Amino acid sequence: MKILDRYIIRVFLTNYIVSFLVLVGLYIVLDMVFNFDELLNMEKQTTQSSLETMVGFIRDAGDYYFYQSFLYFVQLSGIIPIVAAAFTLIRLSHFNELSALLSAGVPLLRVAAPMILCALMLNALLLVDQELVIPQIIPKLERKHDEVRDVTRNSYPIRAMQDSDKGLLLARRFFPTDNPPTMEGIAILQGEGHKRSLITAQSAAWNAEHKRWDFKNATIIRDLARDMMTSEVQREPIQEWRSSITPEEVQL
């Protein structure tokens, strides 16, 4: 690598970091301005002093925006390299370095090549962020501004989510923040045609070690079409369910 390449890459990386901090910081400030009341959440801090309220606000804001910054990076990952490259060229032009390079016969594309290659390599950070980091912090990203210190059990329903075997999962409530994640009020329709089966369960907990859902008070009707034609429904107990539907898939 030539001295020119190393110099341009060093300047570009410096401007990339500055651009990231400025753009993400601007995003955070604007979001904080519009959601200041929700983030401060005075209803839960009526018994605190002004100092305790300020310290709590700083702590809550840091906790909330630390995780949100990973999402902001995804949204701003396209503009950050452009801003960094623009500031790099402006700096080279300001100190007459760009004029000297062009006068020496170095094409402008040759000057920009290290920045282009470096920007492409930095896109690997976007893949890491999207595929590895964000799926692990989804419960943190789902929080609203006034739920940073909310210790309540967040939940939502699952409506007809399909797995890889074309089975349908319905759950009255899914609790992603439980350890392990759990579901309540479960109905699972499996199979096709005359081979459909129906599983109903009071609740299920995710077994991460064996990659399955462990049921509580669950039964299965193995031949749903046949049992619907008769007066007696044959139910069998069932203890577990293996499926491509994992807590991560539900949250995604």
Side-chain angles (χ1 to χ4, degrees), residues 182-231:
T182 58
M183 297 185 292
E184 293 181 355
I186 303 162
I188 303 170
L189 188 62
Q190 301 182 122
E192 296 180 347
H194 296 289
K195 296 182 179 180
R196 285 191 179 275
S197 61
L198 176 65
I199 299 175
T200 56
Q202 177 183 346
S203 62
W206 175 248
N207 189 325
E209 180 179 358
H210 297 94
K211 305 297 181 183
R212 71 188 185 198
W213 293 95
D214 292 333
F215 288 133
K216 179 181 179 182
N217 298 335
T219 59
I220 180 173
I221 304 174
R222 297 195 179 277
D223 196 338
L224 187 60
R226 181 197 62 190
D227 288 355
M228 289 179 63
M229 301 298 295
T230 62
S231 59

Side-chain angles (χ1 to χ4, degrees), residues 128-147:
V128 173
D129 189 24
Q130 281 184 319
E131 304 299 329
L132 299 179
V133 179
I134 288 181
Q136 301 298 322
I137 60 173
I138 287 177
K140 296 288 187 179
L141 297 176
E142 288 180 336
R143 298 177 300 175
K144 297 180 181 178
H145 296 81
D146 57 353
E147 295 176 345

Side-chain angles (χ1 to χ4, degrees), residues 80-229:
I80 291 176
I82 297 175
V83 174
F87 276 106
T88 300
L89 292 175
I90 290 173
R91 184 188 186 282
L92 294 176
S93 178
H94 178 73
F95 291 101
N96 296 321
E97 295 167 324
L98 185 60
S99 299
L101 291 172
L102 296 177
S103 300
V106 180
L108 184 59
L109 183 60
R110 176 63 182 83
V111 177
M115 293 184 287
I116 297 174
L117 294 176
C118 193
L120 292 175
M121 294 178 63
L122 287 171
N123 273 341
L125 296 176
L126 176 61
L127 296 177
V128 173
D129 189 24
Q130 281 184 319
E131 304 299 329
L132 299 179
V133 179
I134 288 181
Q136 301 298 322
I137 60 173
I138 287 177
K140 296 288 187 179
L141 297 176
E142 288 180 336
R143 298 177 300 175
K144 297 180 181 178
H145 296 81
D146 57 353
E147 295 176 345
V148 177
R149 284 189 288 174
D150 192 358
V151 296
T152 57
R153 202 176 176 208
N154 295 324
S155 65
Y156 48 85
I158 302 175
R159 299 184 178 91
M161 184 174 180
Q162 190 176 59
D163 64 4
S164 59
D165 296 325
K166 296 184 179 181
L168 293 178
L169 167 66
L170 298 94
R172 186 174 64 251
R173 304 304 296 175
F174 172 69
F175 302 92
T177 56
D178 285 7
N179 188 19
T182 58
M183 297 185 292
E184 293 181 355
I186 303 162
I188 303 170
L189 188 62
Q190 301 182 122
E192 296 180 347
H194 296 289
K195 296 182 179 180
R196 285 191 179 275
S197 61
L198 176 65
I199 299 175
T200 56
Q202 177 183 346
S203 62
W206 175 248
N207 189 325
E209 180 179 358
H210 297 94
K211 305 297 181 183
R212 71 188 185 198
W213 293 95
D214 292 333
F215 288 133
K216 179 181 179 182
N217 298 335
T219 59
I220 180 173
I221 304 174
R222 297 195 179 277
D223 196 338
L224 187 60
R226 181 197 62 190
D227 288 355
M228 289 179 63
M229 301 298 295

